[in-house]
Amino acid sequence: MNNVFPNEAGLQLPRSLEKYESNGYSFKTKFLAFIGACEFYSPEMWKAAFTELIATALLVFTLTTTIISCLDSHEVEPKLLVPLAVFIIAFLFLMVTVPLSGGHMSPIFTFIAALRGLVTLARAAIYVLAQCVGSIIGFVILKKVMDHKTVQNHSLGGCTIDGNGATSALSPVIALALEFVCTCVVLFVGVTVAFDKKRCKELGMAMVCVVVAGSIALAVLFVSITVTGRAGYGGVGLSPARCLGPALLHGGKLWDGHWVFWVGPFFACIAYYCYSMNLPKEEEEYDILRLAWACFGKNYDPTNLQERV
């Protein structure tokens, strides 16, 4: 593909990376442009990353306390309350954070956004770091306020496949399959709508947040009905960052099979990306090289970019 985009100086940037060499760009410049290194100097990016950190910390704290409360309630089927709680909480957090940072709050959404070229690799790396730190902060607070017995019974609300003694015996293969399938559900239902500009305009932000939150609740509902609702296993992680916090703080069996909560979503994102390549593309779809030119062109102004991340 050799499409070109005009820049402010009237020059043209070839879309294909091969043309960088013929225009005399050094390897260092090409690499920095490719990862979007100029974003490291963007105050907007750091503000958005800070929003991701705070939002992730509050989200994991709110979700974990709510889910544990549901499971410890005296309802006949407490696990059926979990999807409803997840939907309400996810919807509220999305409504607040989408205008501020894009509302990722999970490495899954950041990774698929980077694959689709909606965020630069530089921003994606900072977002994932912020989400992991936010998860740790959220669970530090949770561990301080939660009863010690509850922490032990529910493994600090962490992601585990081993459970407590006889309460769970999920094999890594089954857990990996659940992570993959449920992440695919969230991506196929929620992200497909969220990344479609035309549909977003038609539905409005509130309805898009409903769809994304509903897809997350749907994935939790599927697992909570079949294999969850018992101490030691709270269902699919749907966020490696959420699983990392309890593993670092509580340790022990939370590290057993911890790789499942990273590998499963990772391969789900790859699979969804391959599928999305066959979806119709919009004419004004964000192009990562356009931002690269803005970063290293003569008239770069980070407050004046036509295409924002």
Side-chain angles (χ1 to χ4, degrees):
M1 299 179 66
N2 293 317
N3 297 341
V4 293
F5 298 91
N7 79 331
E8 295 177 1
L11 302 176
Q12 291 180 325
L13 172 69
R15 186 172 183 178
S16 59
L17 284 175
E18 290 79 4
K19 291 295 185 68
Y20 271 77
E21 293 186 13
S22 62
N23 286 345
Y25 289 96
S26 67
F27 173 80
K28 179 181 178 181
T29 299
K30 290 187 291 182
F31 176 75
L32 293 176
F34 179 74
I35 67 172
C38 66
E39 290 232 90
F40 289 128
Y41 303 97
S42 169
E44 182 272 334
M45 191 275 288
W46 290 105
K47 291 177 183 178
F50 184 69
T51 298
E52 285 289 310
L53 188 152
I54 298 299
T56 304
L58 296 176
L59 178 65
V60 297
F61 178 85
T62 307
L63 271 178
T64 305
T65 53
T66 303
I67 291 174
I68 290 177
S69 298
C70 291
L71 296 178
D72 283 348
S73 67
H74 299 292
E75 295 292 330
V76 178
E77 288 292 340
K79 60 188 178 182
L80 296 179
L81 298 175
V82 173
L84 178 61
V86 169
F87 171 78
I88 295 174
I89 294 172
F91 171 75
L92 293 176
F93 272 85
L94 285 170
M95 284 293 294
V96 173
T97 58
V98 165
L100 302 177
S101 66
H104 295 195
M105 295 176 288
S106 169
I108 293 175
F109 297 123
T110 301
F111 182 58
I112 192 60
L115 285 178
R116 291 286 301 273
L118 298 176
V119 298
T120 63
L121 295 179
R123 179 179 289 246
I126 297 299
Y127 268 25
V128 171
L129 178 62
Q131 291 155 4
C132 291
V133 173
S135 171
I136 295 171
I137 293 174
F139 280 104
V140 165
I141 299 173
L142 185 63
K143 189 173 183 179
K144 293 293 183 181
V145 301
M146 186 181 290
D147 178 70
H148 179 73
K149 183 178 179 180
T150 305
V151 170
Q152 295 300 321
N153 289 339
H154 294 278
S155 302
L156 194 60
C159 307
T160 177
I161 64 175
D162 289 336
N164 290 318
T167 61
S168 179
L170 282 180
S171 69
V173 175
I174 295 177
L176 182 64
L178 288 171
E179 285 292 326
F180 178 83
V181 172
C182 291
T183 303
C184 284
V185 169
V186 174
L187 294 176
F188 181 77
V189 177
V191 172
T192 301
V193 175
F195 284 2
D196 189 325
K197 292 181 181 179
K198 181 178 179 181
R199 207 176 303 179
C200 285
K201 291 179 180 179
E202 293 174 351
L203 297 176
M205 188 184 76
M207 187 56 64
V208 172
C209 291
V210 167
V211 173
V212 176
S215 67
I216 297 173
L218 178 64
V220 173
L221 177 65
F222 167 71
V223 179
S224 66
I225 288 179
T226 54
V227 293
T228 67
R230 45 192 172 177
Y233 183 73
V236 290
L238 293 180
S239 174
R242 185 184 76 82
C243 301
L244 179 63
L248 289 173
L249 297 173
H250 194 64
K253 64 189 177 200
L254 291 182
W255 287 114
D256 297 334
H258 180 74
W259 60 272
V260 165
F261 303 103
W262 290 86
V263 175
F266 174 81
F267 280 108
C269 288
I270 296 294
Y272 176 78
Y273 173 71
C274 294
Y275 159 77
S276 66
M277 292 176 66
N278 297 317
L279 295 177
K281 294 184 178 180
E282 301 176 40
E283 294 181 0
E284 298 179 355
E285 187 177 6
Y286 173 81
D287 192 289
I288 203 69
L289 292 181
R290 191 167 184 173
L291 177 61
W293 178 258
C295 288
F296 295 95
K298 294 180 180 179
N299 297 324
Y300 168 59
D301 181 358
T303 62
N304 242 347
L305 289 179
Q306 292 181 353
E307 298 289 340
R308 297 300 301 160
V309 177

